[in-house]
Amino acid sequence: MASSISAISEELGEIDGQIADIFRALSNGFQKFEKIKDASRQSRQLEDLTGKMRECKRLIKEFDREVKELNTVDPDTSKILNEKKQSMVKELNSYVALKKQYATNIQNKRVDLFGGPAEGFEEDNGLQASTMTNQQLMDNGHQMMDETDQAIERSKKVVHETINVGTETAAALKAQTEQMSRIVNELDSIHFSIKKASQLVKEIGRQVATDRCIMALLFLIVVGVISIIIVKLVHPNNKDIRDIPGLAPPANRRLLWIPD
């Protein structure tokens, strides 16, 4: 049947294959469900199967929509497709009914689990009260009241302790918050100090570089002066070298009076 549907339409064949896969998963899931004894696990398994049934319902609707869009099929083919859709719906409804049955069983188990002991307990209390005298009933009532008062006192104590713990926790949180604020302020101060120190180091570096340039210039001047002095001493008659002030030889003076 799947191959014949694929021959009619590839989309219908693909949808039919997906629905068949879901039906196999549902069949295996319900078989596995019967082997599960724990009610909580049964509920989870039933939720998973319910999700698969929703997906199957969506695919059946999509299958029906694709069938309606096929306007070129003959009456026999249309009949085959409609019968296929009805078969899908019928099989899905069988799984839905099975799911409802299992869900009811789980609900009944929960009622028996939580409701059974309470009913027996109420019946026992009724039988016990019917056999007690008025004094015993009063004593039992006073005892129950005393137990209730003690339970209330214990509850008050727990509430007070909880309030004290909450107060201490709030105080600790406040102290930690203030400490964090101080740490943040100190970090800001350290960051500012580091920034100022970096600027100071840069300024010192610039000053050192300037001082080195001045010292290098002075060194070159001194070396030049010493070189000129050495050259002048070695070649005193060299006219290309200007005389250095203070080192020039004394000028020749002519005597105004010439002896006879």
Side-chain angles (χ1 to χ4, degrees):
M1 178 65 71
S3 60
S4 61
I5 293 177
S6 299
I8 298 172
S9 172
E10 293 182 359
E11 290 79 4
L12 290 176
E14 183 178 355
I15 295 172
D16 182 50
Q18 294 177 359
I19 293 174
D21 292 338
I22 293 176
F23 282 151
R24 282 193 295 270
L26 288 172
S27 177
N28 296 330
F30 279 110
Q31 290 178 4
K32 182 179 178 181
F33 180 89
E34 294 177 354
K35 300 178 182 179
I36 299 174
K37 303 301 181 183
D38 184 54
S40 60
R41 292 181 59 192
Q42 287 181 346
S43 298
R44 290 194 296 269
Q45 180 71 9
L46 208 58
E47 290 176 359
D48 183 57
L49 295 174
T50 303
K52 287 183 172 61
M53 284 185 280
R54 292 196 189 99
E55 179 64 16
C56 185
K57 182 178 179 181
R58 184 188 67 80
L59 291 173
I60 292 174
K61 289 182 179 180
E62 187 175 352
F63 183 89
D64 184 50
R65 186 171 57 252
E66 291 291 336
V67 170
K68 291 179 181 179
E69 291 178 356
L70 292 176
N71 297 323
T72 58
V73 297
D74 52 26
D76 293 335
T77 304
S78 178
K79 181 179 179 181
I80 293 173
L81 294 176
N82 288 327
E83 289 178 353
K84 180 63 177 177
K85 186 192 73 172
Q86 294 298 330
S87 175
M88 292 175 180
V89 172
K90 184 178 180 180
E91 188 172 357
L92 178 60
N93 288 335
S94 65
Y95 286 120
V96 172
L98 192 61
K99 174 250 181 183
K100 291 180 179 179
Q101 178 182 353
Y102 284 129
T104 304
N105 293 336
I106 293 174
Q107 187 66 26
N108 291 334
K109 287 181 181 179
R110 289 180 176 176
V111 171
D112 293 340
L113 179 62
F114 294 101
E119 295 175 357
F121 182 74
E122 292 176 357
E123 184 178 359
D124 293 339
N125 286 338
L127 293 174
Q128 184 178 2
S130 62
T131 58
M132 295 173 65
T133 62
N134 292 333
Q135 184 64 34
Q136 290 175 342
L137 288 173
M138 291 178 62
D139 293 339
N140 191 17
H142 288 302
Q143 183 179 359
M144 293 178 64
M145 291 175 63
D146 293 337
E147 292 177 355
T148 303
D149 292 337
Q150 293 176 2
I152 293 173
E153 292 297 329
R154 288 194 297 269
S155 300
K156 288 182 179 179
K157 184 177 180 181
V158 171
V159 170
H160 287 303
E161 291 177 354
T162 304
I163 293 174
N164 293 332
V165 172
T167 303
E168 293 176 358
T169 303
L173 288 174
K174 183 179 180 180
Q176 291 179 359
T177 303
E178 293 176 353
Q179 185 177 2
M180 291 296 295
S181 300
R182 290 194 298 270
I183 291 173
V184 171
N185 294 331
E186 291 177 358
L187 289 175
D188 292 337
S189 300
I190 293 172
H191 179 71
F192 179 76
S193 300
I194 292 174
K195 187 176 180 180
K196 294 294 291 184
S198 300
Q199 294 177 355
L200 183 60
V201 169
K202 290 180 180 179
E203 292 178 358
I204 294 173
R206 286 195 293 268
Q207 292 178 0
V208 170
T210 303
D211 294 341
R212 288 182 179 177
C213 292
I214 295 173
M215 291 177 64
L217 183 60
L218 292 175
F219 177 75
L220 292 175
I221 293 172
V222 172
V223 170
V225 172
I226 293 174
S227 300
I228 292 172
I229 293 172
I230 293 173
V231 172
K232 191 66 178 177
L233 292 176
V234 174
H235 302 284
N237 297 323
N238 191 349
K239 302 299 184 179
D240 296 332
I241 302 174
R242 296 180 61 184
D243 294 334
I244 301 175
L247 296 179
N252 294 327
R253 297 180 181 179
R254 295 181 178 180
L255 299 176
L256 296 178
W257 177 76
I258 300 175
D260 293 335

